[in-house]
Amino acid sequence: MAVMTYREALNMALREEMRRDGRVFVIGEEVGLYEGAYKVTQGLLKEFGPRRVVDTPICESGFTGVGIGAAMVGLRPVVEMMTFNFAIIALDQIVNTAAKLHYMSGGQFNVPIVIRGPGGPAAQLAAQHSQSMETYFYHVPGLKVVRPTTPMDAKGLLKSSIRDDNPVIFIESETLYPVKGEVPEDPDFVIPLGKAVVRREGKDVTVIAYMGMMYRAMEVAEDLAKEGLSVELVDPRTLRPMDTETIIGSVRKTHRLVVVEAGAGFAGMGSEIASFVTEQAFDDLDAPVERVTGANAPMPYARNLEKLKTPSKDKIAAAVRRVCGANGG
Amino acid sequence: MYAGMLRVRLFEERVRELFAGGRIPGFLHTSVGQEAVAVGVAAALRPDDYVLSTHRGHGHLVAKGGSLRGLMAELYGKANGICHGKGGTMHIADASVGYLGANGVLAAGCVLAPGVGLSIKHRKSGQVVVTFFGDGAANRGPFHEGVNMAALWKLPVVFVCENNRWASTTAHALSAAGGSIAARAAGYGIPGEATDGNDVLAVWEAVTRAAERARRGDGPSLVEAHTVRWVGHFEGDPQAYRPRTEAAEGRQRDPIARLEAALREQHRLDDAHAARIRDGVIAEIDDAVAHAEGSPLPQPHDALTDLFAHYPWRD
């Protein structure tokens, strides 16, 4: 184990996989000479050269298509979105080609591509640069969607994503890049896609969160412990395929559920989780599922309004108390 | 090339009849009248070269050597179609002949092609990739993005524009500023050549030049083949938007009749030889239709297979 930042963990994953497999290459805007808008690709051009670290023009639809074309005939591209906000410019390529090609061709073509970059709420970057993008992708059959919360997950999940033979949407976070944590240095260390993790054991209520919301929920859990409430924290890590077993297992234990998500709630991750928990574990629930979501507005620029847009610790704590109080707890 | 064009023509005409008779479903875009482009391009390529196609792609696949049985069964939506009945007319792919797929999204191939080119370069395989697109698709962003990157990185790509004068149902003059698609190549510093798309030899020559240049490592080219769509944008299209004389004019420039006349003049084709070729093609199509008619539909559980490679995830 070494202590490193989330950014360094991603860089290590890319470097190890590029060393391991000559077909892996990185492509995107300013990933080479500039070493990435957030320096995730630092040093890669120097080690692997311009054939495997490809700087592109500013054309997300174009270079995503290039990645897909290369993946169809033998390479394993890692496409960097400078920010995931721009991935919607490439949405047609991702949804209509990457996600469907294996299916449409009756299994003739694989598209082993990773499309990665930062997304979700950032610090005063405002409406077009600070938004939760995963909803655009996890609805689409044929895509896998990953949101790694810790440096260890960032490394282990990125490596699994690169080794996967299917298109993987891998959304990081600007605010988490400097976060430090323990990361295994073993080049064989991977975390399988589709496996959730219980980050904190508890017995009174399950709280599901990921990325920045998980860190916030963690603080709430510590605070509520002082009030005698025992919160179990579950991080899905991969949103699709979703590890429903771990989530259902936790709900069967605690009988109460709160889902926290940064994005606007309508048809969001909380809706989906509440839905399958109700379908599969209705009789285990002692209270209605609560969702704590972002407000139904684009991200405002002003600091005070920005705070109001995303779920606060107070809102999360209030929801937890409500579900626990609903049954006299 | 004569037999090749006849194969495309008779296949497409049979498909039209089957559609009219309710045997083939969906939106069907046929390439009747445009055979010289498909066959001229395929003749200029090696068997291991790649082709990316369009929504009007049957001819490209037939010309590239795809199995008529597999293609017809796919159009019928049968289990033994090339894509197991999951692709259909606008999404057919046949990896076995380097046909990387029709595409229902115009100009999508223009950005996939440079990626295929990167892989070719990486593997040093000496292959070339051709991407077909229509004059309408040349107005979409991916066309410009793809040509730009292929030119920047000198990738082995040939961009072939089939200009049939109609962007679906909107006239070329109403959709493409500047008129010429070939002239757009100059902006990217690559060769752009307009050619008679109803002359299979002219197409063959232009694409041969472009493919040789690509194989030498000198980068992409753009070939604009002017042709005429004899039929509607889709089967059943009443075509009120275009003069009836246009298809008639196209018939006068029939690429098959033109080549046939030239071959007869050179005494390389006589009635008996022509009849043998035609009978052979018809027999092959009859066989493909019988095969498709007699094939089973996919099993219900097939709806959820092939979603992911290797991983049978729960969803």
Side-chain angles (χ1 to χ4, degrees):
Chain A
M1 289 279 189
V3 172
M4 66 180 74
T5 63
Y6 187 98
R7 180 196 334 268
E8 286 162 347
L10 291 167
N11 181 272
M12 189 185 219
L14 287 170
R15 204 181 286 272
E16 286 176 3
E17 292 309 298
M18 288 177 80
R19 284 178 189 156
R20 177 177 176 268
D21 185 343
R23 298 169 300 174
V24 177
F25 73 105
V26 170
I27 181 168
E29 290 153 2
E30 59 193 40
V31 294
L33 287 168
Y34 190 71
E35 304 191 309
Y38 292 94
K39 306 301 168 203
V40 171
T41 55
Q42 197 150 37
L44 296 184
L45 178 65
K46 196 173 164 209
E47 179 170 348
F48 299 101
R51 203 168 52 88
R52 295 183 64 199
V53 183
V54 182
D55 277 323
T56 69
I58 297 176
C59 56
E60 287 78 8
S61 165
F63 66 71
T64 303
V66 166
I68 296 165
M72 285 170 69
V73 290
L75 300 186
R76 303 183 78 86
V78 179
V79 174
E80 175 169 309
M81 290 291 162
M82 180 190 290
T83 138
F84 239 84
N85 299 284
F86 302 156
I88 37 182
I89 297 161
L91 201 58
D92 171 56
Q93 292 299 325
I94 297 169
V95 172
N96 273 322
T97 308
K100 293 177 184 163
L101 194 65
H102 186 70
Y103 187 87
M104 289 195 302
S105 69
Q108 294 180 78
F109 293 100
N110 291 358
V111 185
I113 189 172
V114 177
I115 299 169
R116 53 151 291 272
Q124 283 194 281
L125 298 185
Q128 293 180 346
H129 277 70
S130 182
Q131 55 187 326
S132 293
M133 304 300 297
E134 58 269 35
T135 43
Y136 296 93
F137 301 101
Y138 61 58
H139 185 71
V140 181
L143 294 179
K144 298 183 182 183
V145 181
V146 180
R147 296 231 61 192
T149 299
T150 66
M152 186 190 291
D153 285 358
K155 180 183 175 187
L157 290 166
L158 182 55
K159 286 167 69 79
S160 284
S161 300
I162 293 171
R163 294 181 190 187
D164 200 289
D165 280 327
N166 301 285
V168 179
I169 304 296
F170 191 95
I171 310 179
E172 303 151 11
S173 163
E174 288 98 330
T175 57
L176 296 184
Y177 283 140
V179 166
K180 285 187 176 171
E182 290 202 323
V183 177
E185 290 173 290
D186 176 5
D188 290 326
F189 165 75
V190 292
I191 294 173
L193 303 187
K195 291 275 176 224
V197 64
V198 176
R199 295 215 181 274
R200 185 183 197 281
E201 300 256 356
K203 55 180 177 43
D204 295 331
V205 53
T206 299
V207 174
I208 298 175
Y210 52 90
M211 308 299 282
M213 292 302 115
M214 173 52 82
Y215 291 92
R216 212 165 276 184
M218 195 87 79
E219 291 176 27
V220 170
E222 298 299 329
D223 292 347
L224 292 179
K226 291 169 202 153
E227 298 176 17
L229 277 175
S230 168
V231 177
E232 175 145 307
L233 292 173
V234 179
D235 183 341
R237 301 200 283 201
T238 305
L239 303 183
R240 194 127 194 230
M242 169 79 64
D243 180 358
T244 53
E245 268 170 55
T246 299
I247 291 169
I248 295 288
S250 178
V251 170
R252 288 202 203 286
K253 184 172 96 175
T254 65
H255 308 292
R256 295 176 180 86
L257 176 63
V258 174
V259 185
V260 187
E261 64 183 307
F266 188 88
M269 190 33 71
S271 320
E272 181 60 29
I273 292 173
S275 155
F276 75 71
V277 167
T278 308
E279 285 160 1
Q280 296 179 36
F282 183 75
D283 290 339
D284 288 284
L285 285 171
D286 285 345
V289 177
E290 281 258 2
R291 294 182 297 149
V292 188
T293 74
N296 185 36
M299 183 65 82
Y301 173 63
R303 187 182 310 231
N304 61 328
L305 297 183
E306 186 185 63
K307 269 192 174 167
L308 289 172
K309 157 77 183 167
T310 47
S312 63
K313 279 173 62 180
D314 287 348
K315 279 185 189 158
I316 299 168
V320 171
R321 286 195 193 97
R322 264 197 309 277
V323 294
C324 292
N327 196 25
Chain B
M1 285 196 228
Y2 173 74
M5 286 197 289
L6 202 61
R7 236 167 138 243
V8 174
R9 168 76 51 87
L10 296 179
F11 182 86
E12 291 284 54
E13 285 186 341
R14 182 69 64 89
V15 163
R16 296 185 66 206
E17 286 168 23
L18 292 165
F19 180 84
R23 304 303 299 162
I24 292 179
F27 278 136
L28 199 68
H29 309 85
T30 67
S31 62
V32 180
Q34 303 183 197
E35 299 85 356
V37 187
V39 172
V41 168
L45 298 180
R46 297 192 329 209
D48 65 336
D49 286 336
Y50 297 115
V51 164
L52 285 151
S53 180
T54 67
H55 60 294
R56 201 179 301 287
H58 306 162
H60 305 148
L61 177 52
V62 171
K64 192 73 174 67
S67 131
L68 296 194
R69 278 184 163 208
L71 173 54
M72 191 64 88
E74 186 62 31
L75 294 179
Y76 269 76
K78 295 295 181 76
N80 54 2
I82 313 173
C83 305
H84 307 163
K86 288 177 177 172
T89 171
M90 285 186 279
H91 318 105
I92 288 176
D94 188 351
S96 70
V97 294
Y99 185 83
L100 303 182
N103 204 309
V105 182
L106 300 190
C110 291
V111 290
L112 299 174
V116 174
L118 270 186
S119 171
I120 290 170
K121 219 170 161 177
H122 184 93
R123 291 182 280 119
K124 299 186 176 73
S125 61
Q127 294 160 287
V128 163
V129 55
V130 168
T131 179
F132 288 100
F133 59 102
D135 48 301
N139 301 316
R140 269 219 173 133
F143 161 73
H144 296 276
E145 296 182 15
V147 173
N148 184 42
M149 284 184 284
L152 265 179
W153 303 331
K154 289 198 183 330
L155 298 173
V157 181
V158 182
F159 293 90
V160 176
C161 176
E162 285 189 89
N163 186 338
N164 66 14
R165 307 180 188 181
W166 292 95
S168 295
T169 63
T170 302
H172 182 62
L174 296 179
S175 51
S180 168
I181 305 301
R184 294 179 179 183
Y188 297 103
I190 63 168
E193 185 176 347
T195 188
D196 181 351
N198 278 24
D199 178 348
V200 71
L201 296 174
V203 174
W204 173 70
E205 281 172 14
V207 176
T208 298
R209 272 192 294 277
E212 280 172 1
R213 179 181 139 83
R215 265 189 250 283
R216 277 198 310 272
D218 292 342
S221 308
L222 171 55
V223 175
E224 179 181 12
H226 287 279
T227 184
V228 181
R229 200 181 71 202
W230 289 13
V231 293
H233 169 56
F234 54 88
E235 284 307 302
D237 177 2
Q239 301 185 68
Y241 52 86
R242 74 170 181 174
R244 296 202 174 278
T245 50
E246 190 179 294
E249 181 210 331
R251 286 190 167 81
Q252 277 170 8
R253 293 174 53 214
D254 180 351
I256 299 177
R258 279 167 77 179
L259 184 64
E260 183 168 342
L263 290 171
R264 283 178 185 272
E265 203 173 307
Q266 295 163 22
H267 303 291
R268 292 163 73 181
L269 187 74
D270 56 25
D271 287 348
H273 190 182
R276 260 202 320 277
I277 292 174
R278 177 175 286 267
D279 290 347
V281 170
I282 290 172
E284 200 186 350
I285 295 170
D286 286 343
D287 168 70
V289 173
H291 172 77
E293 288 279 350
S295 295
L297 288 168
Q299 294 293 314
H301 65 78
D302 289 333
L304 295 178
T305 59
D306 292 332
L307 190 55
F308 290 109
H310 303 307
Y311 276 76
W313 292 106
R314 280 183 297 274
D315 60 351

